[in-house]
Every structure is written in C-alpha cells, then in structure tokens.
Amino acid sequence: MAAAQGLPSWEPTARIVLGLLGLVLSVYALHVELSRERDPDYRAMCDLGESVSCSKVFTSRWGRGFGLVQLFVAKDSVLNQPNSVLGVLFYTLQMGLGLSLSKKAALALVICSWVSVAGSLYLASILAFVLGDFCMVCVSTYVINFALLYTNLKRQKAIEGMKEKTG
C-alpha cells in the first residue's frame, strides 16, 4: 500500500489493538449489565468492593444514553441504549474507517474521537463526583478513547501531508 507510507508505522497496529480492546470491554460491559438485570445477585469480575463496582455503574441511570437520553424519551425507549452498545458501535467505526485513507474518513475519525473524549470526561466526572465509584472497565475505555484521539490526530496530519505531496 504505497499511499500509506506517510502514516506513522505504529498507527494501523495501534488502531486495531485499541479498537479490539475497546470492543472487548464494551461487550463485557454489556454482558455485565444484562446479567445484572436478569439476576440482581450477579457479581461481575470487576466488582471488587462497595466503591469499586462496575456493575453498579453500568446499571445506574448514567449507564444508558449517558444519563441524558432519558431526559427526552422514556427510560425504556429503544433510543436509550446502554453506553456499552454505543461503545461497540464507536470501536467498530474506528476500526472500519481506519481502513480508508481519505481525508473525510480521517476527519470523521477525529470528530468521533473528540466526541468520545468529551463523553469520557463527562462520565468520569459522574463516576467520581456523583456515583463515588471506581470502575476499572470505564476508566480503561476512557484511556483507550484518549489514545484513539491521539492516534486519529496523527493519522489526520499524515493524510493531509500525503494529499498535499500528491496533489
């Protein structure tokens, strides 16, 4: 792939690793949430104590639609999806769009990453100041989202540079 020579050599591997880690964490979060809904006594591997409980976070009001969607639609609306479903979509999009070398795809990746980082900051503040909990799965996805933003900014800069050289 000669056109990809301008991309940092680490970028494709980093994108796949970050995307897969995010995808695995999102699927696990969904599993925990659904298991807890079926069985209130379900104890997830990430539930280490009273204030270190991912299942408490996932099943909180903020575990669906960032706690915001239910302000506009019914709590059980199809539009009020678990954040983990949004994560599955986001990480799939990151890996899929990462296959394209177009400027539009690079811009979409950066915009989606900025939105995910804003969401991460919002949810981290809810985690710390409202729920008073530490969720290892959540914090791990926040780190992944920041790393994807960095990766996407580097990618966008490289693609802009490649297009200028060939254009």
Side-chain angles (χ1 to χ4, degrees):
M1 195 189 287
Q5 287 177 351
L7 287 178
S9 60
W10 54 266
E11 189 272 342
T13 303
R15 172 173 313 286
I16 294 299
V17 168
L18 292 168
L20 287 175
L21 282 173
L23 200 54
V24 166
L25 289 171
S26 295
V27 169
Y28 177 70
L30 184 60
H31 164 73
V32 169
E33 183 175 344
L34 295 175
S35 296
R36 188 72 179 259
E37 284 176 6
R38 281 192 306 273
D39 177 8
D41 294 326
Y42 173 79
R43 185 165 169 87
M45 289 187 302
C46 53
D47 290 344
L48 302 179
E50 187 59 34
S51 60
V52 182
S53 172
C54 63
S55 60
K56 185 169 94 175
V57 174
F58 300 152
T59 57
S60 75
R61 163 187 162 198
W62 294 276
R64 287 183 167 263
F66 292 82
L68 301 172
V69 174
Q70 68 183 7
L71 299 174
F72 306 101
V73 299
K75 186 179 176 182
D76 59 352
S77 169
V78 71
L79 298 176
N80 194 27
Q81 289 295 313
N83 296 345
S84 53
V85 169
L86 302 174
V88 167
L89 294 172
F90 171 73
Y91 296 116
T92 302
L93 180 73
Q94 288 289 309
M95 290 186 292
L97 279 179
L99 298 173
S100 172
L101 293 174
S102 78
K103 283 185 179 182
K104 287 181 182 178
L107 179 62
L109 286 167
V110 168
I111 291 170
C112 288
S113 280
W114 276 115
V115 170
S116 78
V117 163
S120 294
L121 291 171
Y122 166 74
L123 290 173
S125 67
I126 297 293
L127 195 60
F129 303 116
V130 177
L131 296 173
D133 199 280
F134 182 80
C135 169
M136 292 181 298
V137 173
C138 304
V139 172
S140 297
T141 61
Y142 306 157
V143 170
I144 290 169
N145 292 346
F146 275 92
L148 277 169
L149 174 62
Y150 176 80
T151 301
N152 288 328
L153 289 169
K154 289 294 188 184
R155 177 187 188 79
Q156 184 182 38
K157 184 177 178 183
I159 287 175
E160 293 288 330
M162 288 176 358
K163 300 296 180 181
E164 287 171 10
K165 289 177 189 168
T166 58

